[in-house]
Amino acid sequence: MTDFSISEDLLQAENAARKMALDEDYTALARALRRRGIDSDELTRRVMAFGVAIPTWGVGTGGTRFARFPGPGEPRHLFDKLEDCATIHYLVRATPTVSPHFPWDATTDYAALREVAAQHGLAFDAVNSNTFQDQPNQEHSYKFGSLSNVEPAARAQAVAHNIDCIAIGQKLGSKALTVWIADGSNFAGQSNMALALDRYLDSMREIYAALPADWRVFLEHKLYEPAFYSTVISDWGTSFAAAQELGPKAQCLVDLGHHAPNVNIEQIVARLVRFGKLGGFHFNDSKYGDDDLDTGSVEPFRLFLVFNELIDAGMRGAEDFAPAYMLDQSHNVTDPIESLMQSAIELQRAHAQALIVDRSALAAAQAANDALGAHLELKRAYTTDVSPILAMARLRAGGAIAPIETYRASGYRKHKARERPAVARTSVGIV
Ligand code: LRH
Ligand code: MN
């Protein structure tokens, strides 16, 4: 018996039931946008071209250090994860790539993995290394750090792992390596913070030297956790300086949850763009710490402001500007597939809203120091409900007008619960 997948018939039936309402809403919005000099079909085409990568670690139920409550039909291995990623892309048509994490996604035949992904209509985005956990039979522990560990053998082990990830990524067709390290300290005095950064840079130079010519390495900063006094790559400034020092293939990755509350992340994005060092994003949302909540679920206006900087940079023809878009979330209380679909839609929404900002009116208001006028140009775009454009983009790309409703109508999760007998697993931590 082949594994269940959502049929074209069900998709067509679900769309047919919603098509007339969508056409009405789309036509009304198109008329309103035309009055603002915006071509809704062109906007829909731009939205159809938008893509974000799904993190393989995001399709399983996430958890915290306190507990993880796995749901029915959990993916048991990478191939189940790819099946769920394919289901997300089938319905929202905005997630054509997958970002894997090693060794969580380790397998024996990466060429076969690439082939299976291709059969699902998926490709691989940046690969993620993991030197923040010790693997069984690992020779040197990362308890006191990895790339910045005082032990040369532990650093060499971490460098070797990152170089292995590059080799795996090449087999998968990836073009980038994301390096996030948990290295830091919990007590003042525990670590010489200057020397720790030097050790990190020495290790990163070896990893940088192993990069193929057309690859990039993304340095991911994070303010704290799991280190709670100092973190080696704690902010965009350190990440930027390290990327500058390493060379043109090194850029900075902005995980939205890795900043202190109220930090102006959109300005960090503008700065990294200015210096050609914006490598990409891990999109999520947060209220307090690195909460890894669903994108756009807490601060949708901030997400819009980030995309406002990205669209402005694109229109300015910023150099070395090809940011990689990836989600990085932990789904502790929702069906991960539903959360990932809605998060991709919230990214499309922020992208579309940023595209309809009247940039000449905004520039004129800024030049005239018309503070409120300028702000209202952004608010006008942000308060435009572009949902019909997003739905039409999905429909024209062969997807679902209403992805979550269609997914629920399919009973996909119930089928997977039958196909995927629950596997006993330690049940703490994010995956
Ligand atoms: C660290 C992080 C990093 C991943 C991990 C799963 O908080 O954001 O990007 O490796 O989450
Ligand atoms: Mn991240």
Side-chain angles (χ1 to χ4, degrees), residues 24-36 38 40:
E24 281 172 23
D25 296 347
Y26 186 85
T27 307
L29 177 59
R31 198 175 305 119
L33 290 175
R34 196 173 309 116
R35 283 198 301 273
R36 288 152 64 172
I38 297 163
S40 53

Side-chain angles (χ1 to χ4, degrees), residues 57 220 253 255 258 282 284 292 328:
W57 62 95
E220 183 177 1
L253 184 138
D255 184 313
H258 288 187
H282 277 178
N284 48 55
D292 282 340
D328 180 4

Side-chain angles (χ1 to χ4, degrees), residues 380-415:
R380 188 171 179 223
Y382 176 68
T383 55
T384 302
D385 180 3
V386 293
S387 303
I389 298 273
L390 308 183
M392 189 61 82
R394 291 190 294 272
L395 181 67
R396 290 178 182 172
I401 291 173
I404 292 186
E405 292 81 355
T406 302
Y407 169 75
R408 291 183 177 186
S410 76
Y412 179 91
R413 185 58 73 187
K414 275 195 285 304
H415 284 279

Side-chain angles (χ1 to χ4, degrees), residues 159-367:
V159 168
H161 166 66
N162 278 278
I163 293 176
D164 289 347
C165 289
I166 294 171
I168 293 171
Q170 286 183 282
K171 293 186 185 122
L172 295 177
S174 297
K175 292 293 182 196
L177 166 71
T178 296
V179 180
W180 171 68
I181 58 168
D183 297 26
S185 68
N186 279 2
F187 293 87
Q190 174 189 341
S191 166
N192 179 312
M193 296 183 280
L195 298 182
L197 181 61
D198 286 342
R199 291 189 296 267
Y200 166 84
L201 289 169
D202 291 346
S203 299
M204 282 305 303
R205 279 192 204 94
E206 291 182 55
I207 295 168
Y208 189 94
L211 289 172
D214 60 350
W215 268 54
R216 296 185 283 174
V217 61
F218 300 148
L219 312 184
E220 183 177 1
H221 60 274
K222 182 173 181 179
L223 183 62
Y224 75 100
E225 189 209 35
F228 295 104
Y229 169 70
S230 73
T231 292
V232 175
I233 307 299
S234 59
D235 57 35
W236 79 274
T238 308
S239 179
F240 170 71
Q244 285 280 78
E245 180 132 332
L246 289 167
K249 289 189 270 189
Q251 293 184 306
C252 306
L253 184 138
V254 178
D255 184 313
L256 299 192
H258 288 187
H259 305 86
N262 309 325
V263 160
N264 188 328
I265 297 176
E266 56 272 23
Q267 181 168 267
I268 292 173
V269 170
R271 294 286 174 275
L272 291 171
V273 168
R274 168 64 184 75
F275 299 109
K277 282 299 182 185
L278 179 66
F281 291 89
H282 277 178
F283 290 113
N284 48 55
D285 215 331
S286 50
K287 195 163 182 58
Y288 305 103
D290 186 19
D291 310 341
D292 282 340
L293 298 173
D294 291 10
T295 298
S297 66
V298 178
E299 298 241 30
F301 187 54
R302 179 177 69 178
L303 185 66
F304 160 75
L305 293 174
V306 166
F307 274 85
N308 177 53
E309 292 302 330
L310 296 170
I311 297 299
D312 196 55
M315 292 175 77
R316 281 199 319 270
E319 278 170 43
D320 302 317
F321 180 67
Y325 295 156
M326 293 163 277
L327 288 163
D328 180 4
Q329 302 174 176
S330 180
H331 310 108
N332 305 352
V333 295
T334 59
D335 181 319
I337 289 179
E338 295 188 358
S339 277
L340 288 162
M341 291 196 292
Q342 192 57 37
S343 299
I345 292 169
E346 293 313 317
L347 286 170
Q348 286 181 317
R349 186 184 311 284
H351 181 69
Q353 290 167 333
L355 284 169
I356 62 175
V357 170
D358 182 337
R359 296 205 173 266
S360 50
L362 176 62
Q366 290 167 340

